[in-house]
Amino acid sequence: MNNKYKNKIIKISNNGLSPTNDVTTFNHLGEKVDSKVAGELPLTIKINDAEIITLMTLGTKPEELTLGYIRNQGIIEDIKDIISIDVRWDTAVSNVKTKHNDIKEITSKLKNKTVTTGCGQGTIYSSTLEKLYDKTLPNIKIKRSEIFSLLAKITQYNDIYKEAGAVHGCALCNTSGVIEFVEDVGRHNAADTLSGIMWLNEMPGEKIIFYTTGRLTSEIIMKVKHMNIPIIISRSGVTNMGIELAKDLNVTMIARAKQRYFLIYNNKDSIIFD
């Protein structure tokens, strides 16, 4: 077990995998080309040996993904209730041990679920919605020049996408640059992984900017709200429900953002046009 985070109480395995595999392809001229493809493996999350869900993932940060998933779904609300996270790829299981062995309270939160527009059919449970409206996100200002600067810096990342494609990237940022960047086969997995990293590092979300290469759906807006992040920026587009939820939760929503261009879908007053 290895723990590189501020939280030293939880025992965490360190069983991340390489994100790509070598394959042989042939180009348009029929020439042999050595290429890379993104990995994709099932990972079943269990809590006290009770199966919760199976996710398809690159597997680079499975422990953080596990933690972020159960946090963003509202399955476990206090990180202090967790004893350990142990990932075993021979069984494709990430097992979470908690201080309370009774699984009934947890499984009761998972009775009602909705299939979302997440890559690979994401799901949200009723527990995700229970405390969604408890607190309103703070009004945080951001300069247009800071957005442009961040968009320029983000191009240095996306390493797996550049090498193999087939992945989405998400990042925790501030006005100085990128704090943490994660890629996975689905943007919801990348978002959950970042949420797990935040939880382990006791990182408050109020001064964080969330960036994603993927579209902004209601599911992604819910995730940033559970992470207490007030500003989200996407390279891609948005959905109508994503906009409506951003309005309800006071999320500053910026999308179609590339180089020196973006569209503001919610909270125009939070942008300082310097």
Side-chain angles (χ1 to χ4, degrees):
M1 296 278 184
N2 177 38
N3 192 344
K4 58 187 177 181
Y5 298 105
K6 285 184 178 180
N7 185 312
K8 302 295 183 183
I9 299 173
I10 302 175
K11 295 180 179 178
I12 302 174
S13 61
N14 187 25
N15 290 326
L17 302 174
S18 171
T20 60
N21 299 298
D22 296 321
V23 296
T24 298
T25 62
F26 295 87
N27 67 16
H28 60 289
L29 299 174
E31 300 166 336
K32 181 179 176 181
V33 179
D34 293 328
S35 300
K36 299 274 189 182
V37 294
E40 185 183 18
L41 292 168
L43 181 67
T44 299
I45 295 176
K46 293 185 177 183
I47 299 178
N48 297 331
D49 298 314
E51 185 172 321
I52 303 300
I53 195 169
T54 297
L55 305 174
M56 301 304 295
T57 177
L58 284 179
T60 56
K61 295 181 182 293
E63 296 85 4
E64 292 88 340
L65 170 59
T66 298
L67 188 60
Y69 182 85
I70 61 179
R71 178 196 184 191
N72 282 346
Q73 294 287 357
I75 298 171
I76 295 176
E77 296 176 15
D78 192 343
I79 195 171
K80 294 177 182 177
D81 289 336
I82 300 171
I83 297 172
S84 65
I85 303 173
D86 188 19
V87 172
R88 303 293 176 91
W89 286 110
D90 56 343
T91 56
V93 168
S94 177
N95 197 31
V96 180
K97 289 292 185 184
T98 71
K99 294 177 180 178
H100 311 289
N101 289 324
D102 188 1
I103 199 69
K104 290 181 181 178
E105 182 180 348
I106 290 173
T107 54
S108 68
K109 297 180 178 181
L110 309 179
K111 288 181 179 178
N112 301 315
K113 70 177 181 179
T114 301
V115 176
T116 73
T117 53
C119 307
Q121 292 192 329
T123 57
I124 58 172
Y125 298 98
S126 56
S127 57
T128 311
L129 306 174
E130 284 177 0
K131 296 191 175 182
L132 194 62
Y133 295 91
D134 277 7
K135 294 189 298 183
T136 302
L137 289 168
N139 293 310
I140 302 296
K141 300 285 187 180
I142 184 170
K143 295 178 181 179
R144 178 176 58 184
S145 59
E146 291 170 336
I147 297 172
F148 287 156
S149 176
L150 181 57
L151 291 174
K153 291 173 181 176
I154 212 83
T155 60
Q156 302 170 28
Y157 295 83
N158 293 309
D159 291 341
I160 301 170
Y161 180 83
K162 291 172 184 176
E163 186 176 50
V167 298
H168 276 299
C170 293
L172 302 176
C173 311
N174 56 29
T175 54
S176 297
V178 177
I179 301 168
E180 192 82 37
F181 193 95
V182 169
E183 292 174 276
D184 210 320
V185 287
R187 70 197 188 283
H188 50 292
N189 279 358
D192 285 339
T193 301
L194 289 172
S195 180
I197 291 171
M198 287 179 67
W199 221 12
L200 286 166
N201 275 326
E202 303 170 5
M203 186 187 301
E206 289 78 7
K207 294 184 179 180
I208 297 294
I209 303 161
F210 188 91
Y211 173 86
T212 178
T213 60
R215 61 194 179 275
L216 300 184
T217 61
S218 57
E219 180 188 17
I220 295 298
I221 299 302
M222 288 181 200
K223 289 183 186 298
V224 298
K225 173 56 169 62
H226 284 300
M227 296 156 74
N228 295 313
I229 297 176
I231 301 173
I232 187 167
I233 301 174
S234 171
R235 188 180 69 188
S236 189
V238 306
T239 66
N240 184 65
M241 189 173 288
I243 295 172
E244 293 305 313
L245 194 58
K247 290 178 179 178
D248 289 344
L249 300 176
N250 197 36
V251 176
T252 297
M253 188 186 212
I254 300 166
R256 309 300 294 271
K258 296 179 182 178
Q259 297 177 348
R260 298 185 67 82
Y261 176 86
F262 57 81
L263 293 175
I264 306 161
Y265 290 83
N266 189 50
N267 281 359
K268 173 182 175 290
D269 290 344
S270 293
I271 312 302
I272 299 170
F273 294 91
D274 57 344

